[in-house]
């Protein structure tokens, strides 16, 4: 019986060793799969840099790149973290991407707005707005409390883009003049 004990112990040791090795290998393969899945979900560093730069104001952008240029990565991460409110890991990744792929500051583009408001009734303002157009000896004036700089700017943009009828229509909508008077006014606007 003692002659069988040694081979059985060796066999048990081999089986335990094989089980331990297979368990370690299965864990490693699971980790590799998780890392590969995380790698596929990871954002391209250049794209991450563009997105990160878009979250910063002009002053924050300048300060962040100043810190990066000075080699103060921790201060840059702290600045990005406080500016955006993102987590520490996301801030670290963003600053790393910004350092690797420098981005110029771009002002956020305003949301596209229609040139004419959708409201049927124009808003009335507590003041009277005067728009004056002249060409040569001819001068026209439109005065209304439904006009302001923004609306008049839209009307001028329409007129300059060649859409005279839409500009005249917008002018009649925001003032008490006729379509004929509005067309005469629009014709006098600077080209």
């Amino acid at each position: 019986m003692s002659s069988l004990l040694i081979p059985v112990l060796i066999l048990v040791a081999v089986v335990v060793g094989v089980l331990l090795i297979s368990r370690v290998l299965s864990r490693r393969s699971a980790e590799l799969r998780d890392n590969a899945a995380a790698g596929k979900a990871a954002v391209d560093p250049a794209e991450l840099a563009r997105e990160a730069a878009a979250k910063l104001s002009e002053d924050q952008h300048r300060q962040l790149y100043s810190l990066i240029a000075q080699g103060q990565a921790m201060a840059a991460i702290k600045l990005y973290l406080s500016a955006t409110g993102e987590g520490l890991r996301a801030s670290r990744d963003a600053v790393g991407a910004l350092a690797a792929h420098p981005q110029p500051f771009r002002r956020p583009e305003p949301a596209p707005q229609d040139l004419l408001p959708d409201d049927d009734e124009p808003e009335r303002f507590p003041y009277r707005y005067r728009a004056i157009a002249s060409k040569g000896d001819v001068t026209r004036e439109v005065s209304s409390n439904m006009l302001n700089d923004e609306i008049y700017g839209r009307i001028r943009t329409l007129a300059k883009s060649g859409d005279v009828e839409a500009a005249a229509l917008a002018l009649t909508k925001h003032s008490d003049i006729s379509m004929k008077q509005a067309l005469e006014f629009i014709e006098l606007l600077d080209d």
Side-chain angles (χ1 to χ4, degrees):
M1 182 133 190
S2 75
S3 64
L4 288 177
L5 185 60
I6 291 179
V8 169
L9 287 177
I10 292 174
L11 181 63
V12 168
V14 169
V15 168
V16 168
V18 167
L19 289 174
L20 287 175
I21 290 173
S22 69
R23 187 172 181 185
V24 167
L25 290 176
S26 68
R27 282 187 182 172
R28 283 189 182 166
S29 66
E31 287 175 8
L32 289 174
R33 278 193 308 268
D34 292 344
N35 289 342
K40 289 178 185 174
V43 178
D44 175 43
E47 181 63 29
L48 178 61
R50 277 190 289 280
E51 291 173 2
K55 296 176 183 176
L56 299 172
S57 69
E58 187 173 8
D59 189 47
Q60 293 166 341
H61 187 270
R62 183 185 48 74
Q63 288 175 353
L64 184 96
Y65 273 107
S66 174
L67 291 170
I68 290 172
Q70 294 171 15
Q72 297 179 4
M74 291 305 294
I77 292 169
K78 185 177 178 182
L79 173 69
Y80 187 85
L81 180 100
S82 66
T84 62
E86 292 187 7
L88 183 60
R89 179 172 290 170
S91 297
R92 181 201 64 197
D93 293 344
V95 169
L98 287 167
H101 304 279
Q103 299 293 312
F105 177 76
R106 291 187 180 101
R107 296 202 185 282
E109 294 182 19
Q113 296 176 353
D114 295 333
L115 291 177
L116 295 174
D118 291 336
D119 305 333
D120 289 336
E121 182 65 30
E123 180 181 355
R124 294 194 180 271
F125 302 102
Y127 55 86
R128 197 123 179 106
Y129 186 88
R130 290 178 50 198
I132 300 172
S134 64
K135 190 178 279 183
D137 293 340
V138 181
T139 301
R140 297 282 187 262
E141 177 181 338
V142 175
S143 182
S144 174
N145 64 345
M146 295 179 279
L147 278 172
N148 63 16
D149 285 332
E150 180 182 351
I151 295 168
Y152 184 61
R154 290 180 193 164
I155 292 169
R156 288 181 58 97
T157 302
L158 285 169
K160 287 184 180 188
S161 69
D163 198 352
V164 176
E165 287 186 22
L169 183 63
L171 188 57
T172 59
K173 183 176 180 180
H174 291 91
S175 64
D176 296 325
I177 64 173
S178 69
M179 185 64 140
K180 180 182 175 191
Q181 292 169 327
L183 286 169
E184 289 173 358
F185 182 87
I186 297 297
E187 287 177 14
L188 296 178
L189 290 176
D190 296 333
D191 294 324

